[in-house]
PDB file of all heavy atoms in Angstrom:
ATOM      1  N   ASP A   1     -15.573 128.649 172.423  1.00  0.00           N
ATOM      2  CA  ASP A   1     -16.137 127.471 171.771  1.00  0.00           C
ATOM      3  C   ASP A   1     -17.307 126.976 172.610  1.00  0.00           C
ATOM      4  O   ASP A   1     -17.695 127.626 173.588  1.00  0.00           O
ATOM      5  CB  ASP A   1     -15.076 126.375 171.533  1.00  0.00           C
ATOM      6  CG  ASP A   1     -14.418 125.890 172.821  1.00  0.00           C
ATOM      7  OD1 ASP A   1     -15.072 125.926 173.886  1.00  0.00           O
ATOM      8  OD2 ASP A   1     -13.240 125.492 172.774  1.00  0.00           O
ATOM      9  N   ALA A   2     -17.850 125.821 172.241  1.00  0.00           N
ATOM     10  CA  ALA A   2     -19.067 125.343 172.903  1.00  0.00           C
ATOM     11  C   ALA A   2     -18.869 125.061 174.382  1.00  0.00           C
ATOM     12  O   ALA A   2     -19.827 125.133 175.166  1.00  0.00           O
ATOM     13  CB  ALA A   2     -19.573 124.082 172.191  1.00  0.00           C
ATOM     14  N   ASN A   3     -17.628 124.751 174.808  1.00  0.00           N
ATOM     15  CA  ASN A   3     -17.398 124.357 176.201  1.00  0.00           C
ATOM     16  C   ASN A   3     -16.606 125.369 177.012  1.00  0.00           C
ATOM     17  O   ASN A   3     -16.309 125.112 178.185  1.00  0.00           O
ATOM     18  CB  ASN A   3     -16.689 123.001 176.251  1.00  0.00           C
ATOM     19  CG  ASN A   3     -17.636 121.849 176.008  1.00  0.00           C
ATOM     20  OD1 ASN A   3     -18.802 122.058 175.691  1.00  0.00           O
ATOM     21  ND2 ASN A   3     -17.144 120.632 176.139  1.00  0.00           N
ATOM     22  N   SER A   4     -16.254 126.500 176.423  1.00  0.00           N
ATOM     23  CA  SER A   4     -15.499 127.503 177.178  1.00  0.00           C
ATOM     24  C   SER A   4     -16.379 128.261 178.165  1.00  0.00           C
ATOM     25  O   SER A   4     -15.885 129.077 178.945  1.00  0.00           O
ATOM     26  CB  SER A   4     -14.820 128.490 176.220  1.00  0.00           C
ATOM     27  OG  SER A   4     -15.772 129.094 175.364  1.00  0.00           O
ATOM     28  N   CYS A   5     -17.666 127.995 178.161  1.00  0.00           N
ATOM     29  CA  CYS A   5     -18.598 128.610 179.117  1.00  0.00           C
ATOM     30  C   CYS A   5     -18.809 127.719 180.340  1.00  0.00           C
ATOM     31  O   CYS A   5     -19.695 127.982 181.164  1.00  0.00           O
ATOM     32  CB  CYS A   5     -19.930 128.912 178.447  1.00  0.00           C
ATOM     33  SG  CYS A   5     -20.680 127.468 177.656  1.00  0.00           S
ATOM     34  N   TYR A   6     -17.988 126.664 180.471  1.00  0.00           N
ATOM     35  CA  TYR A   6     -18.031 125.766 181.624  1.00  0.00           C
ATOM     36  C   TYR A   6     -16.674 125.784 182.332  1.00  0.00           C
ATOM     37  O   TYR A   6     -15.657 126.163 181.730  1.00  0.00           O
ATOM     38  CB  TYR A   6     -18.327 124.327 181.187  1.00  0.00           C
ATOM     39  CG  TYR A   6     -19.670 124.110 180.545  1.00  0.00           C
ATOM     40  CD1 TYR A   6     -19.839 124.252 179.170  1.00  0.00           C
ATOM     41  CD2 TYR A   6     -20.779 123.735 181.308  1.00  0.00           C
ATOM     42  CE1 TYR A   6     -21.074 124.033 178.570  1.00  0.00           C
ATOM     43  CE2 TYR A   6     -22.023 123.515 180.719  1.00  0.00           C
ATOM     44  CZ  TYR A   6     -22.162 123.668 179.346  1.00  0.00           C
ATOM     45  OH  TYR A   6     -23.383 123.451 178.759  1.00  0.00           O
ATOM     46  N   LEU A   7     -16.651 125.355 183.578  1.00  0.00           N
ATOM     47  CA  LEU A   7     -15.403 125.349 184.337  1.00  0.00           C
ATOM     48  C   LEU A   7     -14.529 124.145 183.984  1.00  0.00           C
ATOM     49  O   LEU A   7     -15.026 123.054 183.701  1.00  0.00           O
ATOM     50  CB  LEU A   7     -15.684 125.326 185.839  1.00  0.00           C
ATOM     51  CG  LEU A   7     -16.269 126.591 186.466  1.00  0.00           C
ATOM     52  CD1 LEU A   7     -16.437 126.388 187.971  1.00  0.00           C
ATOM     53  CD2 LEU A   7     -15.392 127.806 186.191  1.00  0.00           C
ATOM     54  N   GLY A   8     -13.204 124.375 184.043  1.00  0.00           N
ATOM     55  CA  GLY A   8     -12.248 123.301 183.821  1.00  0.00           C
ATOM     56  C   GLY A   8     -11.297 123.109 184.978  1.00  0.00           C
ATOM     57  O   GLY A   8     -10.570 122.120 185.037  1.00  0.00           O
ATOM     58  N   GLU A   9     -11.280 124.066 185.915  1.00  0.00           N
ATOM     59  CA  GLU A   9     -10.332 123.979 187.037  1.00  0.00           C
ATOM     60  C   GLU A   9     -10.876 124.693 188.252  1.00  0.00           C
ATOM     61  O   GLU A   9     -11.535 125.734 188.142  1.00  0.00           O
ATOM     62  CB  GLU A   9      -8.992 124.609 186.650  1.00  0.00           C
ATOM     63  CG  GLU A   9      -7.957 124.625 187.770  1.00  0.00           C
ATOM     64  CD  GLU A   9      -6.704 125.413 187.429  1.00  0.00           C
ATOM     65  OE1 GLU A   9      -6.652 126.027 186.344  1.00  0.00           O
ATOM     66  OE2 GLU A   9      -5.773 125.426 188.275  1.00  0.00           O
ATOM     67  N   CYS A  10     -10.595 124.140 189.420  1.00  0.00           N
ATOM     68  CA  CYS A  10     -10.753 124.875 190.676  1.00  0.00           C
ATOM     69  C   CYS A  10      -9.470 124.659 191.469  1.00  0.00           C
ATOM     70  O   CYS A  10      -9.024 123.530 191.654  1.00  0.00           O
ATOM     71  CB  CYS A  10     -11.987 124.446 191.459  1.00  0.00           C
ATOM     72  SG  CYS A  10     -12.131 122.700 191.814  1.00  0.00           S
ATOM     73  N   ALA A  11      -8.845 125.758 191.878  1.00  0.00           N
ATOM     74  CA  ALA A  11      -7.531 125.701 192.517  1.00  0.00           C
ATOM     75  C   ALA A  11      -7.574 126.342 193.889  1.00  0.00           C
ATOM     76  O   ALA A  11      -8.213 127.385 194.099  1.00  0.00           O
ATOM     77  CB  ALA A  11      -6.495 126.413 191.649  1.00  0.00           C
ATOM     78  N   LEU A  12      -6.874 125.705 194.832  1.00  0.00           N
ATOM     79  CA  LEU A  12      -6.815 126.172 196.215  1.00  0.00           C
ATOM     80  C   LEU A  12      -5.463 126.825 196.473  1.00  0.00           C
ATOM     81  O   LEU A  12      -4.418 126.205 196.284  1.00  0.00           O
ATOM     82  CB  LEU A  12      -7.017 124.987 197.162  1.00  0.00           C
ATOM     83  CG  LEU A  12      -8.281 124.156 196.933  1.00  0.00           C
ATOM     84  CD1 LEU A  12      -8.307 122.961 197.877  1.00  0.00           C
ATOM     85  CD2 LEU A  12      -9.533 125.012 197.109  1.00  0.00           C
ATOM     86  N   VAL A  13      -5.507 128.096 196.882  1.00  0.00           N
ATOM     87  CA  VAL A  13      -4.296 128.854 197.201  1.00  0.00           C
ATOM     88  C   VAL A  13      -4.557 129.629 198.481  1.00  0.00           C
ATOM     89  O   VAL A  13      -5.527 130.398 198.560  1.00  0.00           O
ATOM     90  CB  VAL A  13      -3.911 129.846 196.082  1.00  0.00           C
ATOM     91  CG1 VAL A  13      -2.597 130.551 196.425  1.00  0.00           C
ATOM     92  CG2 VAL A  13      -3.804 129.141 194.736  1.00  0.00           C
ATOM     93  N   GLU A  14      -3.702 129.467 199.456  1.00  0.00           N
ATOM     94  CA  GLU A  14      -3.908 130.145 200.738  1.00  0.00           C
ATOM     95  C   GLU A  14      -3.699 131.654 200.638  1.00  0.00           C
ATOM     96  O   GLU A  14      -2.805 132.126 199.931  1.00  0.00           O
ATOM     97  CB  GLU A  14      -2.966 129.579 201.798  1.00  0.00           C
ATOM     98  CG  GLU A  14      -3.320 128.171 202.225  1.00  0.00           C
ATOM     99  CD  GLU A  14      -2.619 127.791 203.511  1.00  0.00           C
ATOM    100  OE1 GLU A  14      -1.390 127.572 203.472  1.00  0.00           O
ATOM    101  OE2 GLU A  14      -3.298 127.720 204.553  1.00  0.00           O
ATOM    102  N   ASN A  15      -4.523 132.381 201.380  1.00  0.00           N
ATOM    103  CA  ASN A  15      -4.336 133.827 201.484  1.00  0.00           C
ATOM    104  C   ASN A  15      -3.051 134.153 202.234  1.00  0.00           C
ATOM    105  O   ASN A  15      -2.535 135.273 202.152  1.00  0.00           O
ATOM    106  CB  ASN A  15      -5.535 134.450 202.206  1.00  0.00           C
ATOM    107  CG  ASN A  15      -5.490 135.955 202.215  1.00  0.00           C
ATOM    108  OD1 ASN A  15      -5.625 136.588 201.174  1.00  0.00           O
ATOM    109  ND2 ASN A  15      -5.295 136.540 203.381  1.00  0.00           N
ATOM    110  N   ASN A  16      -2.506 133.176 202.927  1.00  0.00           N
ATOM    111  CA  ASN A  16      -1.249 133.336 203.654  1.00  0.00           C
ATOM    112  C   ASN A  16      -0.046 132.899 202.806  1.00  0.00           C
ATOM    113  O   ASN A  16       1.020 132.620 203.341  1.00  0.00           O
ATOM    114  CB  ASN A  16      -1.286 132.503 204.948  1.00  0.00           C
ATOM    115  CG  ASN A  16      -0.143 132.851 205.881  1.00  0.00           C
ATOM    116  OD1 ASN A  16       0.308 133.997 205.941  1.00  0.00           O
ATOM    117  ND2 ASN A  16       0.363 131.860 206.604  1.00  0.00           N
ATOM    118  N   SER A  17      -0.208 132.857 201.492  1.00  0.00           N
ATOM    119  CA  SER A  17       0.877 132.444 200.610  1.00  0.00           C
ATOM    120  C   SER A  17       1.916 133.565 200.497  1.00  0.00           C
ATOM    121  O   SER A  17       1.615 134.738 200.765  1.00  0.00           O
ATOM    122  CB  SER A  17       0.337 132.119 199.221  1.00  0.00           C
ATOM    123  OG  SER A  17       0.003 133.307 198.515  1.00  0.00           O
ATOM    124  N   PRO A  18       3.140 133.238 200.094  1.00  0.00           N
ATOM    125  CA  PRO A  18       4.194 134.268 199.957  1.00  0.00           C
ATOM    126  C   PRO A  18       3.807 135.413 199.041  1.00  0.00           C
ATOM    127  O   PRO A  18       4.189 136.558 199.282  1.00  0.00           O
ATOM    128  CB  PRO A  18       5.370 133.468 199.387  1.00  0.00           C
ATOM    129  CG  PRO A  18       5.156 132.082 199.890  1.00  0.00           C
ATOM    130  CD  PRO A  18       3.674 131.881 199.867  1.00  0.00           C
ATOM    131  N   ILE A  19       3.039 135.126 198.001  1.00  0.00           N
ATOM    132  CA  ILE A  19       2.641 136.190 197.071  1.00  0.00           C
ATOM    133  C   ILE A  19       1.552 137.056 197.688  1.00  0.00           C
ATOM    134  O   ILE A  19       1.625 138.286 197.661  1.00  0.00           O
ATOM    135  CB  ILE A  19       2.173 135.598 195.736  1.00  0.00           C
ATOM    136  CG1 ILE A  19       3.286 134.744 195.114  1.00  0.00           C
ATOM    137  CG2 ILE A  19       1.770 136.708 194.767  1.00  0.00           C
ATOM    138  CD1 ILE A  19       2.881 134.028 193.851  1.00  0.00           C
ATOM    139  N   ALA A  20       0.531 136.427 198.258  1.00  0.00           N
ATOM    140  CA  ALA A  20      -0.559 137.192 198.876  1.00  0.00           C
ATOM    141  C   ALA A  20      -0.043 138.103 199.974  1.00  0.00           C
ATOM    142  O   ALA A  20      -0.533 139.228 200.151  1.00  0.00           O
ATOM    143  CB  ALA A  20      -1.612 136.241 199.427  1.00  0.00           C
ATOM    144  N   ASN A  21       0.959 137.634 200.730  1.00  0.00           N
ATOM    145  CA  ASN A  21       1.490 138.435 201.832  1.00  0.00           C
ATOM    146  C   ASN A  21       2.213 139.701 201.374  1.00  0.00           C
ATOM    147  O   ASN A  21       2.482 140.580 202.191  1.00  0.00           O
ATOM    148  CB  ASN A  21       2.436 137.578 202.683  1.00  0.00           C
ATOM    149  CG  ASN A  21       1.689 136.540 203.495  1.00  0.00           C
ATOM    150  OD1 ASN A  21       0.503 136.703 203.777  1.00  0.00           O
ATOM    151  ND2 ASN A  21       2.364 135.464 203.873  1.00  0.00           N
ATOM    152  N   MET A  22       2.524 139.791 200.088  1.00  0.00           N
ATOM    153  CA  MET A  22       3.153 141.011 199.575  1.00  0.00           C
ATOM    154  C   MET A  22       2.149 142.142 199.373  1.00  0.00           C
ATOM    155  O   MET A  22       2.528 143.293 199.201  1.00  0.00           O
ATOM    156  CB  MET A  22       3.852 140.723 198.244  1.00  0.00           C
ATOM    157  CG  MET A  22       5.146 139.963 198.396  1.00  0.00           C
ATOM    158  SD  MET A  22       6.021 139.879 196.813  1.00  0.00           S
ATOM    159  CE  MET A  22       7.618 139.257 197.386  1.00  0.00           C
ATOM    160  N   ASN A  23       0.857 141.794 199.353  1.00  0.00           N
ATOM    161  CA  ASN A  23      -0.208 142.782 199.145  1.00  0.00           C
ATOM    162  C   ASN A  23      -0.003 143.578 197.863  1.00  0.00           C
ATOM    163  O   ASN A  23      -0.191 144.801 197.822  1.00  0.00           O
ATOM    164  CB  ASN A  23      -0.295 143.735 200.346  1.00  0.00           C
ATOM    165  CG  ASN A  23      -0.760 143.037 201.603  1.00  0.00           C
ATOM    166  OD1 ASN A  23      -1.706 142.262 201.567  1.00  0.00           O
ATOM    167  ND2 ASN A  23      -0.089 143.287 202.712  1.00  0.00           N
ATOM    168  N   LEU A  24       0.392 142.884 196.821  1.00  0.00           N
ATOM    169  CA  LEU A  24       0.588 143.498 195.506  1.00  0.00           C
ATOM    170  C   LEU A  24      -0.302 142.801 194.479  1.00  0.00           C
ATOM    171  O   LEU A  24      -0.562 141.606 194.586  1.00  0.00           O
ATOM    172  CB  LEU A  24       2.043 143.378 195.047  1.00  0.00           C
ATOM    173  CG  LEU A  24       3.106 144.147 195.828  1.00  0.00           C
ATOM    174  CD1 LEU A  24       4.500 143.741 195.346  1.00  0.00           C
ATOM    175  CD2 LEU A  24       2.909 145.656 195.655  1.00  0.00           C
ATOM    176  N   THR A  25      -0.770 143.563 193.507  1.00  0.00           N
ATOM    177  CA  THR A  25      -1.410 142.984 192.336  1.00  0.00           C
ATOM    178  C   THR A  25      -0.410 143.083 191.201  1.00  0.00           C
ATOM    179  O   THR A  25      -0.030 144.185 190.792  1.00  0.00           O
ATOM    180  CB  THR A  25      -2.709 143.717 191.975  1.00  0.00           C
ATOM    181  OG1 THR A  25      -3.651 143.564 193.046  1.00  0.00           O
ATOM    182  CG2 THR A  25      -3.311 143.159 190.701  1.00  0.00           C
ATOM    183  N   PHE A  26       0.039 141.944 190.704  1.00  0.00           N
ATOM    184  CA  PHE A  26       1.089 141.935 189.691  1.00  0.00           C
ATOM    185  C   PHE A  26       0.545 142.127 188.277  1.00  0.00           C
ATOM    186  O   PHE A  26       1.292 142.445 187.362  1.00  0.00           O
ATOM    187  CB  PHE A  26       1.875 140.622 189.767  1.00  0.00           C
ATOM    188  CG  PHE A  26       2.798 140.553 190.949  1.00  0.00           C
ATOM    189  CD1 PHE A  26       2.344 140.118 192.183  1.00  0.00           C
ATOM    190  CD2 PHE A  26       4.129 140.935 190.840  1.00  0.00           C
ATOM    191  CE1 PHE A  26       3.197 140.055 193.286  1.00  0.00           C
ATOM    192  CE2 PHE A  26       4.987 140.882 191.932  1.00  0.00           C
ATOM    193  CZ  PHE A  26       4.524 140.439 193.154  1.00  0.00           C
ATOM    194  N   GLY A  27      -0.748 141.917 188.087  1.00  0.00           N
ATOM    195  CA  GLY A  27      -1.317 142.149 186.771  1.00  0.00           C
ATOM    196  C   GLY A  27      -0.965 141.086 185.748  1.00  0.00           C
ATOM    197  O   GLY A  27      -1.042 141.334 184.547  1.00  0.00           O
ATOM    198  N   THR A  28      -0.575 139.900 186.219  1.00  0.00           N
ATOM    199  CA  THR A  28      -0.367 138.762 185.341  1.00  0.00           C
ATOM    200  C   THR A  28      -0.928 137.530 186.032  1.00  0.00           C
ATOM    201  O   THR A  28      -0.673 137.309 187.223  1.00  0.00           O
ATOM    202  CB  THR A  28       1.119 138.551 184.995  1.00  0.00           C
ATOM    203  OG1 THR A  28       1.250 137.361 184.208  1.00  0.00           O
ATOM    204  CG2 THR A  28       1.982 138.422 186.232  1.00  0.00           C
ATOM    205  N   THR A  29      -1.691 136.746 185.301  1.00  0.00           N
ATOM    206  CA  THR A  29      -2.327 135.572 185.899  1.00  0.00           C
ATOM    207  C   THR A  29      -1.298 134.617 186.472  1.00  0.00           C
ATOM    208  O   THR A  29      -1.537 133.984 187.508  1.00  0.00           O
ATOM    209  CB  THR A  29      -3.200 134.860 184.852  1.00  0.00           C
ATOM    210  OG1 THR A  29      -4.169 135.783 184.346  1.00  0.00           O
ATOM    211  CG2 THR A  29      -3.924 133.670 185.453  1.00  0.00           C
ATOM    212  N   LEU A  30      -0.156 134.491 185.813  1.00  0.00           N
ATOM    213  CA  LEU A  30       0.894 133.593 186.281  1.00  0.00           C
ATOM    214  C   LEU A  30       1.174 133.788 187.764  1.00  0.00           C
ATOM    215  O   LEU A  30       1.303 132.821 188.521  1.00  0.00           O
ATOM    216  CB  LEU A  30       2.179 133.829 185.477  1.00  0.00           C
ATOM    217  CG  LEU A  30       3.454 133.175 186.039  1.00  0.00           C
ATOM    218  CD1 LEU A  30       3.334 131.659 186.005  1.00  0.00           C
ATOM    219  CD2 LEU A  30       4.679 133.652 185.269  1.00  0.00           C
ATOM    220  N   ILE A  31       1.271 135.035 188.204  1.00  0.00           N
ATOM    221  CA  ILE A  31       1.602 135.324 189.605  1.00  0.00           C
ATOM    222  C   ILE A  31       0.340 135.509 190.445  1.00  0.00           C
ATOM    223  O   ILE A  31       0.218 134.927 191.530  1.00  0.00           O
ATOM    224  CB  ILE A  31       2.505 136.568 189.711  1.00  0.00           C
ATOM    225  CG1 ILE A  31       3.810 136.323 188.949  1.00  0.00           C
ATOM    226  CG2 ILE A  31       2.791 136.900 191.171  1.00  0.00           C
ATOM    227  CD1 ILE A  31       4.770 137.500 188.968  1.00  0.00           C
ATOM    228  N   ASP A  32      -0.608 136.313 189.952  1.00  0.00           N
ATOM    229  CA  ASP A  32      -1.785 136.623 190.757  1.00  0.00           C
ATOM    230  C   ASP A  32      -2.609 135.385 191.096  1.00  0.00           C
ATOM    231  O   ASP A  32      -3.219 135.312 192.163  1.00  0.00           O
ATOM    232  CB  ASP A  32      -2.654 137.657 190.035  1.00  0.00           C
ATOM    233  CG  ASP A  32      -2.027 139.041 190.030  1.00  0.00           C
ATOM    234  OD1 ASP A  32      -1.188 139.318 190.913  1.00  0.00           O
ATOM    235  OD2 ASP A  32      -2.351 139.837 189.132  1.00  0.00           O
ATOM    236  N   GLU A  33      -2.639 134.378 190.199  1.00  0.00           N
ATOM    237  CA  GLU A  33      -3.406 133.176 190.514  1.00  0.00           C
ATOM    238  C   GLU A  33      -2.763 132.381 191.646  1.00  0.00           C
ATOM    239  O   GLU A  33      -3.412 131.533 192.265  1.00  0.00           O
ATOM    240  CB  GLU A  33      -3.553 132.290 189.276  1.00  0.00           C
ATOM    241  CG  GLU A  33      -2.287 131.549 188.882  1.00  0.00           C
ATOM    242  CD  GLU A  33      -2.546 130.454 187.851  1.00  0.00           C
ATOM    243  OE1 GLU A  33      -3.671 130.360 187.354  1.00  0.00           O
ATOM    244  OE2 GLU A  33      -1.604 129.699 187.553  1.00  0.00           O
ATOM    245  N   ASN A  34      -1.487 132.652 191.917  1.00  0.00           N
ATOM    246  CA  ASN A  34      -0.793 131.974 193.002  1.00  0.00           C
ATOM    247  C   ASN A  34      -0.821 132.779 194.294  1.00  0.00           C
ATOM    248  O   ASN A  34      -0.103 132.477 195.245  1.00  0.00           O
ATOM    249  CB  ASN A  34       0.640 131.659 192.587  1.00  0.00           C
ATOM    250  CG  ASN A  34       0.702 130.479 191.648  1.00  0.00           C
ATOM    251  OD1 ASN A  34       0.463 129.356 192.042  1.00  0.00           O
ATOM    252  ND2 ASN A  34       0.991 130.741 190.377  1.00  0.00           N
ATOM    253  N   ALA A  35      -1.666 133.811 194.310  1.00  0.00           N
ATOM    254  CA  ALA A  35      -1.922 134.566 195.522  1.00  0.00           C
ATOM    255  C   ALA A  35      -3.384 134.435 195.939  1.00  0.00           C
ATOM    256  O   ALA A  35      -3.805 135.024 196.934  1.00  0.00           O
ATOM    257  CB  ALA A  35      -1.593 136.047 195.304  1.00  0.00           C
ATOM    258  N   SER A  36      -4.148 133.632 195.189  1.00  0.00           N
ATOM    259  CA  SER A  36      -5.584 133.622 195.395  1.00  0.00           C
ATOM    260  C   SER A  36      -6.189 132.326 194.852  1.00  0.00           C
ATOM    261  O   SER A  36      -5.791 131.837 193.786  1.00  0.00           O
ATOM    262  CB  SER A  36      -6.207 134.819 194.651  1.00  0.00           C
ATOM    263  OG  SER A  36      -7.611 134.748 194.630  1.00  0.00           O
ATOM    264  N   CYS A  37      -7.156 131.791 195.599  1.00  0.00           N
ATOM    265  CA  CYS A  37      -7.924 130.692 195.026  1.00  0.00           C
ATOM    266  C   CYS A  37      -8.482 131.141 193.678  1.00  0.00           C
ATOM    267  O   CYS A  37      -8.843 132.308 193.501  1.00  0.00           O
ATOM    268  CB  CYS A  37      -9.094 130.314 195.937  1.00  0.00           C
ATOM    269  SG  CYS A  37      -8.623 129.332 197.374  1.00  0.00           S
TER     270      CYS A  37
END
């Protein structure tokens, strides 16, 4: 739509998070977004 080309969120997630420390790509935003800003 007219506004989907703009940002709506910026999220901070540590690279030292429990998910990031697994060194896995889960292939789902639900999990991968919690391993990465």
Side-chain angles (χ1 to χ4, degrees):
D1 59 29
N3 282 6
S4 56
C5 55
Y6 296 89
L7 290 182
E9 177 188 4
C10 54
L12 306 176
V13 183
E14 290 195 288
N15 186 68
N16 192 33
S17 74
I19 302 175
N21 288 337
M22 285 188 169
N23 293 315
L24 293 172
T25 297
F26 286 86
T28 176
T29 303
L30 168 65
I31 300 179
D32 288 337
E33 74 167 7
N34 284 290
S36 170
C37 283

